[in-house]
Amino acid sequence: MKRKTVKEILKNSGELTGKRVDVKGWVRTRRGNKNVQFVALNDGSTINNLQIVFDLSKFSEESLKPITTGSSIHVEGELVASQGAGQSVEVLADTLEVYGTSPADYPLQKKGHTMEFLREKAHLRPRTNTFGAVLRIRHALAYAVHKFFNDKGFYYFHTPLITASDCEGAGAQFQVTTLPLQELPLNEDGSIDYSKDFFGKMASLTVSGQLEGELGATALGLIYTFGPTFRAENSNTPRHLSEFWMIEPEMAFYEIQDNMDLAEEFIKYCVNYALEHCYDDIKFLNDHFDHELIDRLKFVVDNDFVRLSYSEGVKILEESGKKFEFPVYWGVDLASEHERYLVEEHFKKPVILTDYPKEIKAFYMKLNDDGKTVRAMDVLFPKIGEIIGGSQREENYEKLTKRIEEMGLEGMDWYVDTRKYGTVPHSGFGLGFERLVQFVTGMQNIRDVIPFPRYPKACEY
Ligand code: 4AD
Ligand code: MG
C-alpha cells in the first residue's frame, strides 16, 4: 500500500473513512487498558497526531511492548470515525511493524520541558510539538518570501558568502583563512602576509549581500537575496545570532518612500501568508505560550505602520519622562528599549524611523540636504525592535567617494563603478529572517527559531 502522511489522512478524512490506510511515524504517547491501546502518532507533516487503536484480541501485549514514546512504527488499518473525544478519525490497526524502539532514557518523555533544556537537545527538539510548529512556520515564511518577490518581478540574485569587503563596516566579521595559525607568514614590518593565504588576500564571511546586490539591481532592476549571513559580534541577546538568514531586496529607481512602501507590504504579506497557511501551528503556539499572538499578527496585517523621522522619535523619547537604562539624546544609536518604547508604549503600532544621523549609519546611505542625516529607514516591531534596516543609497559619485575616503575604506572601486557608469537612484533593505520567524511564532528567544543556532561559545552539530 502507498503510505499517506498524517496531514493527508486528516485533510481527506471524509473520503478516506471506511478505507484502509498505510501510515508511518513516531509515537508520542501510548495509553489504554487490557482490551485496547491507543497510540498518538506524529510524522512531522502536521502538529496534529493520528490516533491508532490496537485491539488486544488482535495483538498480543508482548508485540505492543516496543511501542514507547519516541519509537517509530508502520501501521496499516481501516480509518474509522472515532468513538472518543479529541479526534474525528482513528486507525484500527491490523498490521504493525516497529522500525526503531526508543529506550526509557529518550529525553523528550514528558511535556513541558524548558526551552533551555530543549536547546541542549537541539538534535532531537524538532520532534517536539513546539519546534515542529516553529519549523513548519519557518518553511512557510521562506516560501512566502520567494513567492512575494517572484510575483512582483524581482530576480533571486545570489551574492557570495565569502567576501573581501565589509558591507556594514562594523568590523564584526569572521575571517576565512587556510594560513597555519601557529606559524603565520609575515611581511617585513611584522604584519601578516595575506598574499600567502588561500585567496591571496584577507577574506571573511559576509555580513550582508547588499553591496553585491546593488550590482545586480543596477543591471536587472529588481533583485533580492536570501541567504546566510554571519556576524561575529559578541551579542548575547534574545535577538542576535552569529549565523542568521537575511533577505535583501535592492531596487533601481526606488526612492526612500518606495522603499518604505515595499517593506511594509512585504512584511504584511509574509505575516498574512503564515496566518492563512499555518493556522494550526500558530494556534498551538497561541494557546500554549502567547495568548496575544494571533491578535498581534492580525493587528500588524490590518494597520498602517507609523512613519516618522529619527529626530521626531528622539524628541518623543526625551519628552516621555521614562527612565531608560541608556540615555537618549540626538545622535545616539537607539537601543532596543528605546525602539520598543516607541512601538509598544507610545504608538502601539509598528514604526518606520527615517533620516538618522550619518555618524551612526553605514557609508553607503544617501546624504540628506541638511548634510547631517542620511536617508535610512529602520522598521521597528513590537517584541522584536528592529526587524528591517534599509536606506536609499548614495548614487552621487563624488559624494560617495568622499564618504569612502573619510571612512578610510579601501578596495571599493568595483562598487563606485555603479555610480560612475549610468548611476541611478536606488534603494533596498535587509530583513532578518529569524526576527520575522520570531515575530510570527511569538518565540521569546531567536535561538529557538532556527534548527541549529550559532551564538558566542555555541557551535554544536
Ligand atoms: O540593519 P542591518 O545591519 O542592515 C544591513 O545589513 C543592510 N546591508 C541591509 C540592506 O540595506 N540591504 O541588518 C538588517 C537586518 C536587521 O534589521 C535585523 O533584522 C537583522 O538583519 N539582523 C540580525 N538578525 C539576527 N542576528 C543578528 N546578529 C542580526 N544582525 C542584523
Ligand atoms: Mg540595522
Side-chain angles (χ1 to χ4, degrees):
M1 254 187 112
K2 195 169 172 321
R3 173 214 169 198
K4 285 196 166 51
T5 63
V6 171
K7 186 177 178 179
E8 288 168 327
I9 292 173
L10 295 178
K11 195 170 155 216
N12 304 308
S13 61
E15 62 191 74
L16 289 173
T17 300
K19 301 217 169 77
R20 271 177 72 79
V21 294
D22 178 317
V23 62
K24 302 177 179 185
W26 292 270
V27 172
R28 284 290 164 84
T29 56
R30 172 157 76 96
R31 60 184 178 85
N33 53 41
K34 280 207 177 76
N35 304 320
V36 60
Q37 291 276 311
F38 301 98
V39 167
L41 193 72
N42 190 284
D43 67 358
S45 58
T46 160
I47 185 103
N48 299 304
N49 300 327
L50 182 61
Q51 176 152 289
I52 314 289
V53 184
F54 291 95
D55 184 336
L56 285 158
S57 63
K58 279 193 231 158
F59 292 89
S60 68
E61 260 180 66
E62 195 58 26
S63 71
L64 300 187
K65 266 207 178 130
I67 306 186
T68 57
T69 297
S71 63
S72 46
I73 61 172
H74 172 199
V75 165
E76 286 181 39
E78 187 185 338
L79 191 74
V80 298
S82 177
Q83 318 248 315
Q87 62 282 317
S88 60
V89 289
E90 59 196 16
V91 177
L92 295 181
D94 53 40
T95 70
L96 167 66
E97 180 185 359
V98 177
Y99 286 120
T101 56
S102 178
D105 62 355
Y106 180 56
L108 309 178
Q109 293 289 353
K110 334 189 257 12
K111 288 182 182 169
H113 288 301
T114 65
M115 290 298 149
E116 288 75 18
F117 172 84
L118 292 173
R119 220 171 282 145
E120 281 166 21
K121 305 279 176 225
H123 56 298
L124 293 172
R125 68 179 185 172
R127 295 190 190 184
T128 62
N129 282 331
T130 305
F131 284 91
V134 169
L135 294 173
R136 281 184 295 271
I137 293 169
R138 185 181 166 102
H139 159 80
L141 286 169
Y143 181 76
V145 166
H146 286 297
K147 184 160 166 52
F148 175 82
F149 286 117
N150 180 67
D151 291 356
K152 277 194 161 318
F154 282 62
Y155 296 109
Y156 184 23
F157 189 71
H158 292 106
T159 50
L161 301 191
I162 301 175
T163 174
S165 73
D166 178 4
C167 174
E168 291 306 300
Q173 293 184 289
F174 289 101
Q175 208 176 316
V176 175
T177 181
T178 53
L179 289 177
L181 297 180
Q182 268 73 23
E183 220 180 315
L184 291 168
L186 300 178
N187 295 311
E188 277 178 4
D189 65 0
S191 60
I192 296 165
D193 179 4
Y194 280 107
S195 69
K196 301 264 173 17
D197 204 348
F198 189 88
F199 295 107
K201 55 161 91 167
M202 196 171 150
S204 301
L205 294 178
T206 188
V207 295
S208 160
Q210 177 197 322
L211 301 187
E212 295 88 351
E214 286 184 51
L215 308 179
T218 50
L220 300 171
L222 303 172
I223 65 98
Y224 70 104
T225 72
F226 185 1
T229 310
F230 308 89
R231 295 197 183 176
E233 348 164 63
N234 195 11
S235 305
N236 275 292
T237 81
R239 290 175 310 279
H240 286 86
L241 289 167
S242 312
E243 176 180 294
F244 63 101
W245 288 63
M246 187 155 46
I247 297 128
E248 295 186 276
E250 192 69 34
M251 297 75 67
F253 312 111
Y254 270 47
E255 312 235 347
I256 188 155
Q257 299 298 337
D258 311 307
N259 205 22
M260 287 193 274
D261 291 345
L262 183 76
E264 183 167 342
E265 185 189 346
F266 173 48
I267 297 201
K268 286 179 171 172
Y269 179 91
C270 291
V271 173
N272 195 47
Y273 187 91
L275 277 170
E276 281 182 2
H277 294 84
C278 309
Y279 196 77
D280 286 355
D281 288 318
I282 292 176
K283 179 92 173 49
F284 173 86
L285 296 169
N286 185 86
D287 293 350
H288 289 81
F289 296 103
D290 180 348
H291 300 307
E292 288 163 12
L293 178 63
I294 293 176
D295 288 344
R296 198 158 59 240
L297 299 183
K298 288 191 172 152
F299 183 82
V300 160
V301 171
D302 292 339
N303 286 280
D304 288 342
F305 297 3
V306 175
R307 299 179 184 193
L308 79 162
S309 70
Y310 167 93
S311 301
E312 293 168 299
V314 167
K315 197 151 169 269
I316 291 171
L317 291 167
E318 282 173 335
E319 288 170 1
S320 69
K322 176 136 178 150
K323 265 253 150 285
F324 293 110
E325 191 187 339
F326 299 100
V328 184
Y329 50 92
W330 196 94
V332 76
D333 199 357
L334 296 181
S336 174
E337 56 169 340
H338 307 136
E339 298 173 338
R340 291 183 60 177
Y341 176 84
L342 290 174
V343 172
E344 291 167 20
E345 295 183 47
H346 188 82
F347 290 109
K348 299 191 164 59
K349 273 182 176 190
V351 170
I352 310 184
L353 220 51
T354 58
D355 304 294
Y356 284 69
K358 68 174 184 198
E359 286 76 18
I360 58 171
K361 289 293 182 188
F363 75 95
Y364 50 70
M365 296 191 183
K366 184 174 172 67
L367 193 63
N368 280 318
D369 292 340
D370 63 12
K372 291 195 305 192
T373 59
V374 287
R375 235 167 262 188
M377 52 156 243
D378 279 7
V379 181
L380 313 179
F381 253 45
K383 301 264 181 196
I384 306 290
E386 180 191 331
I387 195 164
I388 280 182
S391 69
Q392 184 167 343
R393 318 306 190 191
E394 184 56 77
E395 86 268 22
N396 179 286
Y397 179 81
E398 279 74 31
K399 285 188 190 164
L400 183 63
T401 43
K402 184 163 163 263
R403 191 89 183 105
I404 287 174
E405 247 165 57
E406 272 172 20
M407 303 198 46
L409 303 175
E410 282 166 13
M412 303 297 286
D413 298 358
W414 55 273
Y415 182 67
V416 294
D417 267 2
T418 52
R419 279 59 167 180
K420 190 169 167 191
Y421 307 112
T423 191
V424 291
H426 63 288
S427 301
F429 60 82
L431 169 80
F433 185 57
E434 283 72 19
R435 293 197 186 170
L436 175 68
V437 181
Q438 221 187 329
F439 179 72
V440 173
T441 58
M443 296 297 274
Q444 302 278 336
N445 196 313
I446 198 166
R447 296 172 185 178
D448 299 328
V449 299
I450 185 166
F452 307 104
R454 268 83 183 91
Y455 48 94
K457 304 280 179 288
C459 189
E460 296 300 316
Y461 318 104

